[in-house]
C-alpha cells in the first residue's frame, strides 16, 4: 500500500492469504509483521475525504487503520474488493436493485456510494436514508449542515454509509462501514432528548456503531430491529 501523503507513515505491503490479511511494514517502521485473521474480522471501514483515504479493520483482538493517498485509489479499491468478497462470502441473490425504502429518497452522492459498494450479486433488502439537513443555531452564527447517513441491510451485510468525518460534514467524501450479518448481536433504537439513534452491537468486538436517525425515521428503523432480532 502507498504511504500516507499527510503523515510520516512508511510504505507497507498488504497480502491477502488463506489465513487472512498480512501487513508487512517497511523496515524503517521497526514494527512486527501483523496477521489479521478473516475469521476474527468483525467489520470493515473504508473512507475518503478529498485526497485522504483509509481502511480500517476491526476484529476480536485488533483494530487497525491504514492510510493512503487517494491518487493511488485504483489498486487499493481493487484489493479491498478481494478482501470484501472473502469476508462476506457468497450471496444467493442476483438482483442488485433496492428493496424496501424506509427513509428519504437517495440523493446523487449516496446513490452512487451505494452502487459502488454493492457487489454484483448482492441484494439490498432495505434502505433508510437521512439526507443532509441545514440547521441555523443562532442569528449570529452561520448555517451549518448535519451530515447524511444511509443504512442498508443486504443479502450479505449491514452497511452504514455516512459523510460525518469526526465532528464535521465531509462534503467531498464519505465513509462506509459494513459487517456480515452473522457478526451482529443486536440493533436497538434509542432516544435521548431530541436525539434519535440506532445502536449496533457485535458478537465479535466490544466496538459498536451509533447511527443518527431523524425523528421521522425512528419508527421505520424498527424494521432493522425485527429483521436482525
Amino acid at each position: 500500500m502507498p504511504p500516507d501523503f499527510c503523515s510520516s507513515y512508511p510504505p507497507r505491503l498488504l497480502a491477502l492469504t488463506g489465513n487472512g490479511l498480512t501487513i508487512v511494514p517497511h523496515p524503517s517502521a521497526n514494527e512486527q509483521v501483523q496477521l489479521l485473521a478473516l475469521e476474527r474480522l468483525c467489520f470493515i471501514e473504508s473512507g475518503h475525504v478529498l485526497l485522504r483515504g483509509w481502511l480500517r479493520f476491526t476484529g476480536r483482538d485488533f483494530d487497525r487503520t491504514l492510510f493512503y493517498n487517494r491518487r493511488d485509489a485504483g489498486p487499493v479499491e481493487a484489493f479491498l474488493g478481494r478482501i470484501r468478497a472473502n469476508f462476506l462470502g457468497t450471496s444467493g441473490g442476483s438482483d442488485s436493485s433496492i428493496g424496501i425504502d424506509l427513509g428519504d429518497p437517495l440523493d446523487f452522492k449516496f446513490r452512487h456510494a451505494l452502487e459502488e459498494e454493492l457487489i454484483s450479486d448482492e441484494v439490498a433488502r432495505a434502505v433508510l436514508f437521512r439526507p443532509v439537513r441545514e440547521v441555523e443555531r443562532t442569528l449570529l452564527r452561520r448555517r451549518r449542515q448535519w451530515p447524511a447517513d444511509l443504512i442498508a441491510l443486504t443479502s450479505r451485510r449491514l452497511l452504514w454509509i455516512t459523510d460525518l468525518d469526526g465532528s464535521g460534514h465531509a462534503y467531498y467524501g464519505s465513509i462506509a462501514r459494513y459487517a456480515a450479518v452473522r457478526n451482529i448481536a443486536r440493533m436497538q433504537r434509542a432516544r435521548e432528548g431530541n436525539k434519535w439513534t440506532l445502536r449496533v452491537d457485535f458478537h465479535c468486538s466490544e466496538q459498536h456503531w451509533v447511527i443518527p436517525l431523524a425523528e421521522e425515521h425512528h419508527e421505520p428503523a424498527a424494521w432493522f430491529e425485527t429483521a436482525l432480532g
Side-chain angles (χ1 to χ4, degrees), residues 49-149:
V49 179
L50 295 175
L51 287 178
R52 178 168 59 94
W54 68 92
L55 305 177
R56 178 186 175 197
F57 303 96
T58 299
R60 192 174 302 277
D61 51 5
F62 56 82
D63 190 354
R64 184 70 188 270
T65 301
L66 305 170
F67 296 92
Y68 68 96
N69 190 322
R70 286 288 294 176
R71 289 177 296 189
D72 302 300
V76 175
E77 290 176 353
F79 185 74
L80 178 61
R82 295 290 186 91
I83 298 174
R84 182 166 51 203
N86 279 268
F87 172 50
L88 297 175
T90 59
S91 172
S94 60
D95 179 12
S96 61
S97 61
I98 294 174
I100 304 171
D101 186 358
L102 299 171
D104 288 52
L106 296 179
D107 61 19
F108 176 81
K109 174 181 177 178
F110 276 80
R111 181 174 297 279
H112 177 72
L114 179 59
E115 291 173 351
E116 287 290 304
E117 274 295 327
L118 292 179
I119 303 171
S120 59
D121 63 345
E122 188 174 16
V123 178
R125 295 173 53 196
V127 174
L128 191 157
F129 178 55
R130 182 183 70 101
V132 169
R133 300 193 178 187
E134 292 189 345
V135 179
E136 190 162 2
R137 298 182 63 184
T138 69
L139 294 176
L140 299 179
R141 301 184 67 174
R142 68 178 193 176
R143 186 169 300 183
R144 63 175 183 154
Q145 292 184 322
W146 289 105
D149 293 279

